[in-house]
Amino acid sequence: MKFPDNLKYTKDHEWARVDGDTVVVGITDFAQHELGDIVFVELPATGRTLSAGETFGVAESVKTVSDLYSPISGEVVEVNDGLEGRPELVNKEPYGGGWMIKIKPSNPAEVNSLLTSAAYSALIKEGH
Amino acid sequence: MKKTPLWQAHCALGAKMVDFAGWSMPVQYSSILEEHKAVREKVGIFDISHMGEIEVKGPGAMEFLQWLVPGDLSRLEDDNALYSALLNDNGGIIDDILIYKISGQRFFLCVNASNASKDYKWIAGHATSFPDVEVANLSRDFGMLSIQGPNAEPLLKQIVPYPLEKLGYYQFATTTIDETSVIIARTGYTGEDGFELFINWQSTAAIWERIFSRGKPFGLKPIGLGARDTLRLEMRYPLHGHEINETTTPYDAGLGWIVKLDKGEFIGKEALVKQKAEGLKRKLVGMELLDRGIPREGFNVIHNGEQVGVFTSGTLSPTLNKSIGLAFVPVELSAVGTQLLVDIRGRHAQAVVCKTPFVQPKVRRKPAGEAVTEPQSAPVNQ
């Protein structure tokens, strides 16, 4: 299971990657593995304002539904429309084609409070 | 947590294990979608050893069972199985069961894992009023395997000496695999042609391995509870605790065909006669979502701004790639084509009542070379 060093992570198994003045958000390799075959992803409309920890959508596998939580505060400036037709991208490329939303942060420093790859790996090993 | 004889085999195959009715069971091995497809297109093997087996025997066995269940066992031939139910006095379904008739004095009941103890107490308790009836809980004596899919027969013909082509749907035979006695029944819970095997508990792992060793050319895959659920839902087979429970009668659940009111007295009959006379108020229907999203158990059905029904099961159908589900709705809103809304976490999605089964079953209705007969039969449950 991979947790790239250039990403930041939440305890709820989302990842965040700073990309210029936006932050790209998705769910981790661990999360997609736990969910199993993802068959539906519900994402917010662009323009929506999120607070850190707020639910921004759901990922549904055949058996379960999982809420998605925003790692940071800010405005949704882009959503991955490709997931509508190909939700399985979240399983296949959780850090690539399976990204979910891009947020323009209201407080860019907030990203620094997220978990590092090492800290997130440790969390998974502890069984969370 | 209880373990079947195959627990170690599941772990060795990398299965994701879950608690199911107090049993540690595989929910999936590779992927629910892959496993579902394997059963529809090739063949899959399921460990269903968690299910319960109860033997009813003795000179009074037939008379007792006729009073215990709503089906008519006098019509059932030896070596045939009948889908039936245990009902309470209100006609509510305590459990749905399969009754295997070995002879007029010996029957084998297959019951849901979660209800095995409750069912045994219910059956044994009522049997005390009948002379010459013995009831035994054999749930820990028998393991069970289910082999389902178009390649089930060619695969099992490699291993089982019995001429399987002679078995029609809901017929069974006692035979051997590697000198182990097994009961093999042409039954299942997937809508595919397939077989369910009763094997003594100690030999179940060896028979599982034996089938595996011959399975590769047939595309055999191990299948978990996840795909078992999507497969049965595409067939509209009810699942106890979801579509059926002690507050739903066979009529509510669309299982009126298992009730034979003209056969004499049986537990729950009075309530069912009354319900039939008064007419049904609600009906279990198949629904397909027209908007995006997946209807889940407990989601409300909305009509004219009011909650009028509730979903009992829902999933993405891997075969159809559509969101489907079963829901109780008022009879007047149950006609095929009726448009209703589903409350998906606050969003109202369009849905339509549709025909069921959602996918056409491919069960082998008749033995090879014999005339078509329609057995009174349905699936064994999980």
Side-chain angles (χ1 to χ4, degrees), chain A residues 33-43 58 60-65 67 83-85, chain B residues 16 27-28 31-34 225-226 229-230 292-294 296 314-316 318 344-345 347:
Chain A
H33 189 262
E34 284 295 297
L35 279 167
D37 299 304
I38 291 168
V39 292
F40 179 69
V41 182
E42 190 173 300
L43 297 175
V58 291
E60 297 201 39
S61 64
V62 179
K63 289 296 280 184
T64 55
V65 183
D67 281 328
L83 296 183
E84 189 168 327
Chain B
K16 192 183 283 184
V27 66
Q28 68 175 71
S31 136
I32 292 174
L33 296 178
E34 273 178 36
L225 293 178
D229 193 48
T230 52
R292 298 184 74 234
I294 299 172
R296 302 283 182 180
T315 191
L316 180 102
I344 299 182
R345 296 177 290 273
R347 175 171 64 91

Side-chain angles (χ1 to χ4, degrees), chain B residues 333-365:
Chain B
L333 295 174
S334 65
V336 169
T338 306
Q339 296 229 6
L340 297 165
L341 298 171
V342 188
D343 186 340
I344 299 182
R345 296 177 290 273
R347 175 171 64 91
H348 286 186
Q350 297 261 7
V352 63
V353 177
C354 62
K355 281 185 189 167
T356 53
F358 298 97
V359 173
Q360 213 48 43
K362 294 182 201 147
V363 295
R364 194 78 58 87
R365 288 277 172 197

Side-chain angles (χ1 to χ4, degrees), chain B residues 137-204:
Chain B
N137 189 351
L138 305 182
S139 298
R140 284 302 188 102
D141 293 356
F142 287 94
M144 278 187 83
L145 301 179
S146 181
I147 296 94
Q148 302 282 309
N151 289 348
E153 184 179 294
L155 164 58
L156 287 181
K157 279 178 86 73
Q158 307 277 311
I159 301 161
V160 180
Y162 188 87
L164 295 173
E165 67 279 2
K166 289 191 176 170
L167 286 182
Y169 194 43
Y170 271 60
Q171 294 180 330
F172 65 92
T174 303
T175 182
T176 54
I177 297 178
D178 295 343
E179 296 170 9
T180 298
S181 178
V182 300
I183 295 172
I184 184 163
R186 198 161 211 140
T187 51
Y189 194 49
T190 62
E192 295 299 322
D193 182 29
F195 300 88
E196 290 176 318
L197 273 63
F198 295 89
I199 308 156
N200 75 67
W201 192 264
Q202 290 74 17
S203 304
T204 306

